[in-house]
Amino acid sequence: MTPPVRRRALDVIADHVDLPGRRIVDVGCGEGGLVRALTALGATVTGVECGAEMLARARATAPAGNEAYVEGVAQALPLPDSAMDRVVFMNSLHHVPMDGMDAALSEAARVLVPGGIALVNEPLPEGDFFQVTRLVEDEEAVRAAAYAAVTRACASGLFREQAEVIYLNPVRLDSYEAFAARMGLIDPERKARVAAGEAVLRERFHALAQVRDGAFVFDQPARLSILVKAG
């Protein structure tokens, strides 16, 4: 079996789906990095985020174009029917409560045009970065639940799976402090766990990271599911 290649998530997506000129929603957009990258490629992008701190950071960052950010959750997207050509879940579906994952994918189908595409990118529960982050929160169960929700959405006829791509997504961080800040943005409870476990986290971070071009890098195994809306 050919080992997975190291690629940026955006490059993997761009290899399989046309993006320029498309209307795209990034569900769980965080600080808006992907929203700005897609906008720079010529897409019309809306970022949806429920975290107040991350939403504020996204709105405070210099825009790449005419991107927009709205507050909302995946289970009830604040968008009209058939308003989007692409829906992206970039490492976000597993953050939806497990009993809301099916609703999140149903909402993705609702806001897509017929034949529109949902892109569900999820980190696999393996690799060195997972060995660090699981000290804060072990997401093995929720990541498995997210994949099961994708499988159900296809089995029900809501979507048709066009492709599944396994690859290594490089996670680049300038320092342990950058890692700690990133982990703490999810919610106050996580921020407290990061602070309480700093000594062990810092040791594990430096032991497992690779240093490349002055940055700390982890190759995170990831799965991109490319789903076409029925009809």
Side-chain angles (χ1 to χ4, degrees):
M1 179 181 295
T2 303
V5 298
R6 182 187 300 132
R7 305 268 334 262
R8 293 190 313 152
L10 180 60
D11 294 335
V12 176
I13 290 172
D15 279 351
H16 290 84
V17 179
D18 57 317
L19 300 171
R22 297 295 186 176
R23 298 166 298 170
I24 302 176
V25 56
D26 180 10
V27 182
C29 68
E31 298 176 78
L34 182 61
V35 170
R36 292 184 291 276
L38 292 168
T39 300
L41 291 177
T44 300
V45 191
T46 300
V48 175
E49 177 55 51
C50 64
E53 185 174 354
M54 287 190 282
L55 189 59
R57 290 187 180 210
R59 288 170 170 165
T61 302
N66 63 346
E67 67 266 31
Y69 299 99
V70 295
E71 184 177 1
V73 296
Q75 310 92 299
L77 291 173
L79 299 167
D81 296 354
S82 304
M84 295 290 157
D85 303 301
R86 309 281 182 260
V87 175
V88 180
F89 293 89
M90 179 53 63
N91 300 342
S92 60
L93 185 58
H94 71 273
H95 288 299
V96 175
M98 284 195 282
D99 61 2
M101 290 178 181
D102 291 335
L105 290 170
S106 293
E107 278 289 273
R110 179 185 66 79
V111 304
L112 280 168
V113 297
I117 295 175
L119 300 142
V120 182
N121 193 89
E122 281 288 309
L124 300 178
E126 57 191 66
D128 288 342
F129 195 59
F130 180 65
Q131 296 308 318
V132 181
T133 60
R134 74 187 311 175
L135 295 175
V136 179
E137 183 171 348
D138 190 336
E139 295 183 335
E140 186 166 359
V142 292
R143 295 183 190 185
Y147 186 56
V150 168
T151 301
R152 287 193 298 273
C154 294
S156 71
L158 190 66
F159 289 102
R160 170 180 58 83
E161 184 176 79
Q162 178 174 289
E164 180 181 279
V165 184
I166 306 295
Y167 68 104
L168 297 178
N169 186 21
V171 179
R172 296 178 60 88
L173 295 155
D174 291 334
S175 63
Y176 170 79
E177 287 71 23
F179 163 78
R182 169 175 168 161
M183 290 296 293
L185 276 176
I186 299 296
D187 59 53
E189 290 185 4
R190 264 200 181 190
K191 186 177 291 188
R193 289 197 296 272
V194 170
E198 178 183 354
V200 175
L201 275 170
R202 187 183 291 273
E203 187 279 329
R204 181 75 63 89
F205 176 89
H206 286 288
L208 296 180
Q210 302 175 48
V211 179
R212 300 182 201 149
D213 301 324
F216 297 92
V217 182
F218 299 85
D219 289 329
Q220 171 61 60
R223 176 192 291 112
L224 175 65
S225 299
I226 303 171
L227 314 175
V228 182
K229 179 183 173 178

